[in-house]
Amino acid sequence: MSEVSTATAGRTLSVRGLGKSYGTGADENWIIRNLDLEVPPGEFVSIVGPSGVGKTTLLRSLSGLVPPTEGGVFIDGDELRAPHPEIGVVFQDYSRSLLPWMTTVENVAFPLQGKGVGKAERLGIAERNLAAVGLGGKGNLYAWEMSGGMQQRVAIARALAYDSKILLMDEPFASVDAQTRLDLEDLVVDLHTNLGVTIILVTHDIDEAVYLADRVVVIAERPAHVVDEIHTGFGSHRDQVETRSDPRFAEARGRILTLLRSGVAAITQSVAQP
């Protein structure tokens, strides 16, 4: 068990011909189809797409929480058929993911019980990961005593404490104020750089996607599939002013916005058809 280092013993996540539908026969509705994606160890990938395109469905398929209808998700070549012990998930609704009767350190330590980690060791691991997200010394607080930004840091610490090699994040900063959002973005950049963990982020925020990621994957149309991939080229360094002023940032943002507007039109047309 690592302390705060999921460092680069990485895993390659591969998505091959992924499709997900609901309903059967004439009522079958394909949300995603023929989607291919490969994420090597240590990469930061943002996934963006129009509202309602199936981004969260895709993330749940990547986590093993939702089985695909066709195709599959693979970790180092092994098909994912259930939640994987090295995949952590940070959900948008962090307030519901934290158990209100447990302290912060107990919340972070709780999933380690399933791995058979002794109480003293799991509390130590939890404290170290809380320190890694800037909450050292806050382990005795309860969720209701913390701000939204602090609660989301706890959720991230819990995923890291579980020794996740791949971290999936579903709109993790959507419910916090603008300044807290910027702070959490920089926290995730630092964790990615320092720990070498693979991160796949689903977001509707184009600026956030470009700022954080090594590569932005755009999914669109109906059923959803990958329509473009943009390599940002920023390296490991990010600065909220400098990076967003970089001409490459504006170029990537414009390219993605054009694709998303086309994707919205395609989804609207598809929904309108009888």
Side-chain angles (χ1 to χ4, degrees), residues 102-107 135 137-146 150:
M102 287 186 177
T103 63
T104 297
V105 70
E106 289 169 341
N107 263 291
L135 292 178
K138 304 292 185 182
N140 62 328
L141 296 179
Y142 290 89
W144 48 269
E145 296 180 289
M146 309 179 84
M150 293 172 74

Side-chain angles (χ1 to χ4, degrees), residues 148-221:
M150 293 172 74
Q151 289 180 36
Q152 190 61 302
R153 286 173 184 254
V154 175
I156 294 169
R158 183 170 57 190
L160 294 174
Y162 197 67
D163 206 19
S164 305
K165 301 295 186 293
I166 299 172
L167 190 60
L168 307 178
M169 310 185 81
D170 184 12
E171 300 275 11
F173 314 134
S175 301
V176 298
D177 64 82
Q179 184 57 55
T180 301
R181 187 175 193 136
L182 298 182
D183 292 342
L184 288 171
E185 286 175 357
D186 287 336
L187 167 69
V188 170
V189 168
D190 289 342
L191 291 173
H192 176 248
T193 301
N194 295 333
L195 304 182
V197 64
T198 303
I199 299 179
I200 301 174
L201 167 79
V202 162
T203 180
H204 69 277
D205 189 307
I206 299 173
D207 287 8
E208 180 173 272
V210 175
Y211 179 75
L212 289 173
D214 302 315
R215 176 167 50 122
V216 181
V217 174
V218 184
I219 63 172
E221 303 181 8

